[in-house]
Amino acid sequence: MKIGIVRFPGSNCEVDVWEAWRVLGQEPKMLWHQETSVRGYDLIVLPGGFSYGDYLRTGAIARFSPIMEDVIHFAHEGGMVLGICNGFQILTECGLLPGALLRNKDLHFLCQPQYLRVERTDLAFTSLYQEGEVIQIPINHGEGNYSIDDAGLKELEENGQVVFRYVDKTGVENELGNPNGSRHNIAGIVNRTGNVLGMMPHPERVVEEIVGGTDGQRLLLSLVQAWERRMQYGA
Amino acid sequence: MEPRIWREMGLTDEEYERVKVLMGREPNELEVGIFGVMWSEHCSYKTSKPILRRFPTEGPQVLQGPGENAGIVDIGDGLAVVFKMESHNHPSALEPYQGAATGVGGILRDVFTMGARPIAVLDPLRFGPLEEENTRRLVRGVVEGIGGYGNSIGIPTVAGDVYFHESYRGNPLVNAMAVGLLEHRHIAKGVASGVGNPVMVVGARTGRDGIHGATFASVELSEESEAKRSAVQVGDPFMEKLLMEACLELIQSGAIVGIQDMGAAGLTSSSCEMASRGDSGIDMDLSLVPRRETGMTPYEIMLSESQERMLVVPKAGCEQEVEAVFHRWGLEAVVVGKVTADGMLRLLENGQVVAEIPAKALTDEAPLYHRPTREPEYYARLKEQKLDGVKAQKGYGEILLDLLGSPNLASKSWVYRQYDHQVGTNTVVKPGGDAAVLRVRGTNKGLGMTTDCNARYVYLDPYVGGALTVVEAAQNLVCVGAKPLAITDCLNFGNPEKPEIFWQFEQACAGIAEACLVLETPVTGGNVSLYNETNGEAIYPTPTIGMVGLVENLEQVVRNRFSEPGEEILLLGEVSGSLAGSEYLALFEGVEAGALPPLDLREIKKRLDFMLSLIKEELVMSAHDLTEGGLAVALAEMAEGCGARVSVQGENELELLFGERLGRILFTVKPQDAGKVQELAQHAGVSVTRLGESGGEAIAMTVNGVMMLEVAIADCQRVREETLPKALN
């Protein structure tokens, strides 16, 4: 599987994503933001960090990076794109995903373990999870408060585009389980065609027990499985 | 020259005379300014150096001791750990966000300038009373600043400590330690050598910010300090991230001879220190230095403390390679001069010489002072104060909850949740552990790291208290299974010109030196922060110790929480503590006094070695050292998943439950291993007492068979967690 990880100036989770893939037996490639083509890749990952220092607005400058033009093109043609944290912010800035990520409701940056409920398992990103399963993946952001207008929210929910929701330990979505004030406890969404996922939690941080857990593994492995199927059946 | 000029630049009249002798002529104003900053306490250590020379600095593990940008210690496999701690106290008092942020930025540069990739930051913080609004403002700003810088640049902040005490009211302490990893073959040094090699300024442009930062750090804070706000630098973590990547790439390319961060005193200190270490000179044309603003004078360029800049000496002919690396990261790299043979720091402006000083006159020839010391009046008085009459004023259960909820003992999760402590995905033991542990990728090893200082102990007895800071750091490392390797220190004290303060400094350093010697943890560098006073009132002497240790096998890492019910709870060391200098005494009696328990470093070393051997044999399920709040608090801290029932025997209930005495470790073993552990203890000649077992939903303690307290662990956790959010949100 050919995986490309885009490195913007100020990205800081690109190496973690790279290492996570290697733990799972893949050999991803780093793509510099000034490159202009992502042709031939099976998956593009936009990693976490502070691209361009998050100056102006998170993700707002990164979307103008030379590589993003082709990433957008790639996504429109059905290419798989995963945006994590700052990567999610970039995806909303460039219009591949709806909504916006505002400052956390208590205004503090938060780095902590977080319970999530998996809402959809019919996606290439999540097929190895159980529907409704509660998993633990850490968050690490100051601006993860997912915001969208009422009409947009209604559309998201009706189309089943919410993939991960913040919940409490028992799997209930409530205020206690919502760390940042996101509408409808939204932690991750997918586009309508199911090939672009943006999420605030960091799955790459939980692929090894020794550093805190393995609940992130199945997200990455789902993608590998989907790719293998595609290779096998050409679907 | 008018005396006013050199005095304003921070030189005494005698120092000015010394300058004239070293120069063989009258210096000009620029030269006086350069001497003023290089001979400031911050850059020259002129007061502290005679004392610091007594630190043990050698050991088979030490690859680089004091004198470089950071110390380096071997960890095997061709790898080494690079680490250093520094203070950013005065800037943080005035501008908490930027002061703390640039403190992180500065210490990270010290580490990556040695060629190491930083893997962790630690932040010991000291503030005034939490009840006060100004303290809360400072805490919020400092924590946000540390997070703002560390989180952006992508280095995890993994440990530190936070204490509140009125002595820090006007003068908070913001210390920052950075730890990095490198391969031996990539070690870089801050040296300029090779006549004709170019000298390059790389990274951010030079502006007027932070001029006089070093001088500012060497005076007491006062009402007028507010007017010096411009001496606080402004940080740009995004720029530093680019600078870090570019520097590491450059160092690994082998194109350079030397590299140094422009920290305090900017271009001045970096150029003369690099020349001095290389026994050479440097010529620089200041008109070539890229600037952020126009009309800057040579003096302003030399003294600017604009952040995120480095001075690089590449091999002749490699200039373009340096430029190419930096341009790729969107940064500037400009040749501003060259290395010479004559030992002079020669500054030009548009080809005209504007200053010419022997480099070593600024460094090696700086004055040294042997300040007088005097035992302060309080020392004997507080030591002799009898504590026999102290009686509990409420139930022991209530006392335990009050202690757990007191600002110094309460959970600091409000702080470390704001720090990215996981980026790099190497954090094995997270904040909240006795020490942080980071994995060393590509090996089965881990690095333990911690910062510690109980300033109340140091105040009451600087020698013993100084030694105990090292002991506490070592026992924290041992509790996670790391063998202590070496230390860095950040010595925060008041005005050394006062004999009582200098006595504290001398005594504390002597204690640290002795402990380092016995515990085999040499000093590899550090920082001295003096003049921590506000309107004449000194802080408690706070020699913060940062220690790193090696975990040989990551699978043997030990945590400070009971793993499961039914574990045997054992105590290594004395069962009873002392109320002298204890948190109990301060909180309930409002008294900070008493004679600390006698210090036996050799006995403590024996215990630490014993503990490490138990961990190596995989006999230890969990471990936690006993510090503030004594046995009862330590038990409550370990009881996250399940409670404990313990019983102890002794004379004084308060001392048994809440007394403090370092060198004690609480640990648990499987029941079937308890006998073996006792045998090993006997063989090693250390005392291990069985206290009880883990289990249940409460901490229950009996003394001499009588139940003294029984507190639900849910209540313990609630009071521990609610204090900081309540005060700070």
Side-chain angles (χ1 to χ4, degrees):
Chain A
M1 185 175 177
K2 215 170 155 199
I3 303 160
I5 303 165
V6 180
R7 187 178 220 194
F8 299 97
S11 293
N12 66 27
C13 297
E14 75 277 24
V15 177
D16 298 359
V17 172
W18 187 75
E19 294 280 3
W21 278 114
R22 283 167 51 90
V23 166
L24 300 176
Q26 299 296 321
E27 283 293 335
K29 294 264 180 315
M30 286 288 183
L31 297 170
W32 187 234
H33 70 118
Q34 282 167 331
E35 292 180 37
T36 50
S37 169
V38 296
R39 293 297 106 176
Y41 282 88
D42 301 306
L43 170 72
I44 295 299
V45 184
L46 307 182
F50 291 72
S51 55
Y52 300 91
D54 270 357
Y55 297 141
L56 188 58
R57 200 169 63 240
T58 52
I61 305 180
R63 63 172 284 208
F64 294 111
S65 265
I67 201 167
M68 280 310 292
E69 198 177 321
D70 204 47
V71 170
I72 292 168
H73 196 68
F74 175 80
H76 284 151
E77 287 184 345
M80 304 298 292
V81 178
L82 169 62
I84 302 166
C85 199
N86 193 225
F88 184 12
Q89 293 161 344
I90 296 168
L91 289 175
T92 61
E93 282 290 337
C94 73
L96 282 176
L97 290 173
L101 293 140
L102 310 181
R103 280 195 81 175
N104 295 348
K105 67 175 173 207
D106 72 352
L107 305 181
H108 293 306
F109 187 97
L110 285 176
C111 176
Q112 61 188 36
Q114 193 67 50
Y115 290 106
L116 305 176
R117 194 174 66 212
V118 184
E119 304 288 74
R120 270 185 72 177
T121 54
D122 59 337
L123 297 165
F125 299 95
T126 54
S127 59
L128 294 175
Y129 293 105
Q130 305 291 317
E131 196 171 322
E133 185 182 352
V134 177
I135 57 175
Q136 210 178 20
I137 297 186
I139 55 164
N140 183 68
H141 59 247
E143 303 183 33
N145 180 355
Y146 184 75
S147 173
I148 189 167
D149 60 23
D150 291 342
L153 186 63
K154 189 159 171 270
E155 207 180 311
L156 272 185
E157 294 286 8
E158 281 174 3
N159 295 330
Q161 286 174 256
V162 179
V163 182
F164 298 111
R165 251 185 257 274
Y166 301 115
V167 290
D168 69 7
K169 196 160 41 174
T170 61
V172 178
E173 67 180 276
N174 51 21
E175 208 177 317
L176 189 75
N178 186 346
N180 52 26
S182 290
R183 291 203 80 179
H184 284 199
N185 287 38
I186 287 173
I189 56 170
V190 71
N191 64 348
R192 287 193 66 168
T193 43
N195 61 316
V196 178
L197 174 73
M199 62 192 293
M200 290 313 294
H202 286 263
E204 80 279 10
R205 293 189 176 190
V206 274
V207 297
E208 290 174 277
E209 198 57 58
I210 187 126
V211 288
T214 54
D215 277 356
Q217 274 195 5
R218 280 178 288 161
L219 194 149
L220 306 188
L221 291 176
S222 295
L223 284 160
V224 177
Q225 198 185 62
W227 171 78
E228 280 168 351
R229 277 212 191 108
R230 226 169 27 243
M231 290 298 102
Q232 210 172 342
Y233 305 110
Chain B
M1 183 176 291
E2 279 183 61
R4 181 184 57 82
I5 295 174
W6 66 74
R7 287 177 194 160
E8 268 178 16
M9 306 274 193
L11 292 178
T12 65
D13 295 355
E14 296 75 42
E15 286 171 345
Y16 179 70
E17 288 306 315
R18 188 181 169 90
V19 168
K20 280 202 298 191
V21 171
L22 287 167
M23 296 278 288
R25 62 174 167 84
E26 289 252 343
N28 63 32
E29 278 192 35
L30 173 57
E31 290 163 340
V32 167
I34 289 172
F35 272 102
V37 68
M38 285 310 295
W39 286 8
S40 71
E41 184 61 42
H42 193 80
C43 292
S44 73
Y45 297 90
K46 59 190 170 190
T47 305
S48 53
K49 212 183 248 173
I51 308 286
L52 302 180
R53 282 182 180 151
R54 299 175 200 165
F55 283 154
T57 58
E58 286 172 5
Q61 70 274 44
V62 178
L63 298 178
Q64 175 66 57
E68 259 292 346
N69 289 299
I72 308 181
V73 171
D74 186 23
I75 58 166
D77 298 327
L79 296 171
V81 56
V82 179
F83 63 107
K84 169 108 177 266
M85 180 155 50
E86 264 187 5
S87 63
H88 237 216
N89 304 336
H90 286 184
S92 305
L94 295 185
E95 192 72 84
Y97 184 97
Q98 289 298 344
T102 52
V104 173
I107 198 64
L108 286 171
R109 284 195 299 282
D110 277 338
V111 164
F112 70 74
T113 193
M114 303 296 291
R117 179 168 284 279
I119 58 162
V121 172
L122 299 86
D123 291 285
L125 308 175
R126 301 290 182 276
F127 297 100
L130 181 61
E131 300 74 45
E132 294 172 13
E133 189 44 47
N134 191 47
T135 298
R136 296 174 180 196
R137 178 185 68 87
L138 289 169
V139 176
R140 289 185 200 113
V142 165
V143 170
E144 207 180 325
I146 290 169
Y149 208 101
N151 298 351
S152 311
I153 193 168
I155 316 285
T157 300
V158 298
D161 51 17
V162 188
Y163 287 92
F164 303 91
H165 187 275
E166 57 191 24
S167 80
Y168 307 109
R169 180 176 278 125
N171 196 127
L173 300 185
V174 176
N175 296 173
M177 171 171 164
V179 181
L181 266 180
L182 56 57
E183 293 179 39
H184 292 185
R185 64 196 172 100
H186 289 147
I187 292 177
K189 297 203 171 171
V191 55
S193 60
V195 174
N197 280 337
V199 174
M200 300 179 80
V201 169
V202 304
R205 295 185 153 225
T206 298
R208 286 193 173 92
D209 47 336
I211 290 174
H212 282 277
T215 327
F216 173 54
S218 305
V219 294
E220 294 174 30
L221 289 177
S222 66
E223 312 289 332
E224 292 128 59
S225 303
E226 276 291 303
K228 297 214 168 111
R229 207 182 270 266
S230 74
V232 181
Q233 313 84 336
V234 176
D236 180 351
F238 173 57
M239 174 69 88
E240 176 131 322
K241 164 86 173 157
L242 304 179
L243 182 66
M244 175 175 79
E245 298 298 343
C247 285
L248 290 175
E249 193 177 321
L250 185 66
I251 291 167
Q252 288 173 16
S253 76
I256 62 159
V257 174
I259 178 167
Q260 178 153 338
D261 151 46
M262 289 193 219
L267 195 48
T268 300
S269 63
S270 52
S271 57
C272 71
E273 285 173 11
M274 286 183 81
S276 175
R277 286 195 200 105
D279 291 318
S280 45
I282 284 183
D283 282 7
M284 283 194 297
D285 193 331
L286 300 179
S287 46
L288 300 175
V289 175
R291 271 150 290 173
R292 210 186 280 153
E293 36 200 321
T294 54
M296 285 182 74
T297 63
Y299 178 78
E300 288 172 324
I301 295 168
M302 286 304 284
L303 273 287
S304 161
E305 292 190 7
S306 290
Q307 299 287 291
E308 293 94 22
R309 300 178 300 158
M310 294 271 187
L311 197 65
V312 175
V313 176
K315 294 171 184 157
C318 291
E319 297 89 332
Q320 278 168 355
E321 194 175 332
V322 177
E323 281 168 19
V325 169
F326 279 80
H327 288 172
R328 208 168 79 76
W329 289 98
L331 299 171
E332 286 183 292
V334 175
V335 175
V336 298
K338 60 176 193 294
V339 178
T340 65
D342 64 6
M344 302 297 280
L345 176 66
R346 191 174 293 106
L347 306 176
L348 298 92
E349 193 186 29
N350 299 317
Q352 297 282 321
V353 174
V354 290
E356 202 169 12
I357 310 172
K360 284 195 194 285
L362 294 166
T363 55
D364 301 1
E365 297 294 336
L368 279 185
Y369 295 114
H370 297 268
R371 298 267 183 214
T373 63
R374 189 189 309 130
E375 187 182 295
E377 163 281 324
Y378 78 81
Y379 175 66
R381 178 169 51 81
L382 294 181
K383 200 169 188 172
E384 281 151 25
Q385 192 167 326
K386 292 278 168 272
L387 306 173
D388 311 342
V390 175
K391 293 273 174 294
Q393 289 160 14
K394 48 170 102 173
Y396 293 123
E398 264 181 274
I399 290 174
L400 174 59
L401 288 173
D402 284 356
L403 276 168
L404 290 171
S406 69
N408 286 338
L409 271 56
S411 161
K412 301 301 180 297
S413 64
W414 183 89
V415 175
Y416 60 72
R417 276 198 319 171
Q418 296 185 55
Y419 302 151
D420 183 348
H421 47 261
Q422 287 180 295
V423 63
T425 54
N426 290 318
T427 313
V428 175
V429 177
K430 300 188 176 85
D434 275 26
V437 176
L438 276 94
R439 121 174 104 179
V440 179
R441 272 197 199 272
T443 73
N444 200 25
K445 291 177 180 173
L447 283 175
M449 50 196 81
T450 179
T451 62
D452 294 282
C453 179
N454 183 322
R456 191 183 287 137
Y457 296 165
V458 186
Y459 175 75
L460 290 175
D461 193 334
Y463 180 86
V464 172
L468 289 176
T469 56
V470 182
V471 168
E472 188 174 351
Q475 67 189 29
N476 275 322
L477 287 180
V478 165
C479 282
V480 296
K483 180 182 171 3
L485 285 178
I487 73 157
T488 176
D489 55 53
C490 192
L491 307 170
N492 308 275
F493 286 79
N495 180 349
E497 293 157 37
K498 298 178 184 167
E500 291 82 2
I501 299 287
F502 202 59
W503 179 83
Q504 290 177 338
F505 183 74
E506 188 185 39
Q507 291 287 310
C509 288
I512 290 169
E514 181 63 20
C516 285
L517 204 63
V518 176
L519 301 181
E520 295 167 17
T521 52
V523 180
T524 63
N527 160 253
V528 179
S529 173
L530 302 174
Y531 300 93
N532 288 291
E533 302 204 354
T534 312
N535 301 326
E537 286 292 314
I539 58 161
Y540 267 15
T542 314
T544 312
I545 299 298
M547 192 182 279
V548 296
L550 183 63
V551 178
E552 287 284 355
N553 178 357
L554 267 185
E555 278 150 35
Q556 294 179 336
V557 162
V558 174
R559 288 177 169 77
N560 61 359
R561 303 281 191 268
F562 299 136
S563 327
E564 54 192 54
E567 293 171 0
E568 296 267 308
I569 300 174
L570 306 177
L571 178 65
L572 172 61
E574 298 83 359
V575 175
S576 187
S578 158
L579 292 185
S582 67
E583 199 65 34
Y584 174 86
L585 202 61
L587 194 64
F588 294 95
E589 301 287 326
V591 171
E592 298 176 289
L596 300 180
L599 176 71
D600 185 345
L601 289 166
R602 275 173 185 79
E603 168 67 22
I604 288 172
K605 172 79 165 96
K606 200 158 69 175
R607 290 179 197 168
L608 298 182
D609 286 346
F610 170 71
M611 196 64 201
L612 280 175
S613 72
L614 289 189
I615 291 173
K616 209 164 193 170
E617 294 194 34
E618 304 190 343
L619 293 167
V620 179
M621 303 295 290
S622 64
H624 185 30
D625 66 333
L626 267 60
T627 56
E628 293 89 354
L631 179 59
V633 165
L635 276 169
E637 287 169 346
M638 293 185 83
E640 194 177 69
C642 70
R645 298 200 156 271
V646 308
S647 55
V648 291
Q649 267 74 43
E651 283 172 24
N652 184 314
E653 292 155 11
L654 273 179
E655 287 177 353
L656 286 164
L657 298 174
F658 307 111
E660 299 175 16
R661 179 179 189 132
L662 293 193
R664 302 189 292 161
I665 293 174
L666 199 56
F667 66 107
T668 61
V669 301
K670 288 184 185 144
Q672 62 267 32
D673 292 332
K676 184 171 182 197
V677 168
Q678 285 292 3
E679 260 172 50
L680 290 168
Q682 212 159 20
H683 194 250
V686 296
S687 150
V688 169
T689 310
R690 182 186 185 278
L691 299 187
E693 59 181 38
S694 61
E697 298 292 312
I699 300 291
M701 297 182 78
T702 64
V703 175
N704 303 327
V706 181
M707 179 70 80
M708 288 294 153
L709 63 84
E710 185 161 16
V711 182
I713 58 173
D715 290 335
C716 293
Q717 278 159 19
R718 181 179 46 77
V719 297
R720 261 169 62 71
E721 288 298 335
E722 69 189 8
T723 303
L724 262 57
K726 231 184 220 172
L728 294 163
N729 276 351

